[in-house]
Amino acid sequence: MTWLIRNRRIVALFLGVGVLFIAALLVPLPSPQQIQEWATSVGAWLPLLFFAIYALAATAPIPRTVLTVSCGVLFGPALGIAVALSATATAAALALLLVRALDRDQVASRLTHPAVRAIDNRLERRGWLAVGSLRMISFAPFSVVNYCCGLSSIRFWPYLAATVLGSLPGTVATVILADALTGGTHPAMFAISAICIALGLVGLVVDARWAPKEPSVLEPQPVAVAD
């Protein structure tokens, strides 16, 4: 694994992600009430501005919960869901493209272990199921899944579609029940989170047990020779 240390771009990527993780842990995130107070001074451009902030913040390893809740507090159910989902999709796309722009092919060429290759082949062939399942599991870090997918061979559009569909239930529930952080956690949040986690785990189990379909080898047929 010494090749990782010699590659400056890979070292820079790891250092950058590490710095972002530390910053995400140390920098206090604003509460929905603080965001709402700030939003009153922005005016009509608030949805577009908040979309840009959400997308950039979610590309980094920053928790999406406060941002998603803020969408509900600031914009209501319909616009809040649209802003949160579109920003989530944009962040997922940016993270994957960023990792691949930083020499993903060179990293992949070094991952020669059979187990790693098997996982990579599965993601390339059926990655949408794993990604969609992980998006439903609330404790699966959004940014980490993005970075890992960027290092894999998963195709872009199935990855993006699975991200949107997998994030849809939790995002809708969080936006609609945005008063969770303004007056105690709503009981429905626990039920919806439990359902999403259960569905995500079921999807991961199905993906793990779904054996790859081997291409059939056709036996050569004898050629009839005319008399």
Side-chain angles (χ1 to χ4, degrees), residues 160-172:
L160 191 60
T163 294
V164 173
L165 294 177
S167 303
L168 181 63
T171 301
V172 170

Side-chain angles (χ1 to χ4, degrees), residues 136-216:
M136 288 188 172
I137 300 175
S138 57
F139 49 80
F142 179 77
S143 57
V144 174
V145 174
N146 296 338
Y147 302 149
C148 291
C149 288
L151 292 174
S152 75
S153 297
I154 188 172
R155 291 175 294 167
F156 177 80
W157 291 113
Y159 158 82
L160 191 60
T163 294
V164 173
L165 294 177
S167 303
L168 181 63
T171 301
V172 170
T174 303
V175 170
I176 292 177
L177 301 173
D179 61 340
L181 291 184
T182 60
T185 303
H186 197 288
M189 285 294 296
F190 293 110
I192 295 172
S193 296
I195 293 172
C196 290
I197 291 173
L199 290 175
L201 292 175
V202 169
L204 291 177
V205 171
V206 171
D207 180 63
R209 293 179 175 272
W210 192 350
K213 188 175 182 180
E214 300 294 340
S216 57

Side-chain angles (χ1 to χ4, degrees), residues 103-118:
D103 223 357
R104 178 260 165 195
D105 290 337
Q106 185 169 348
V107 176
S109 66
R110 303 283 184 163
L111 303 179
T112 56
H113 192 282
V116 176
R117 286 296 187 191

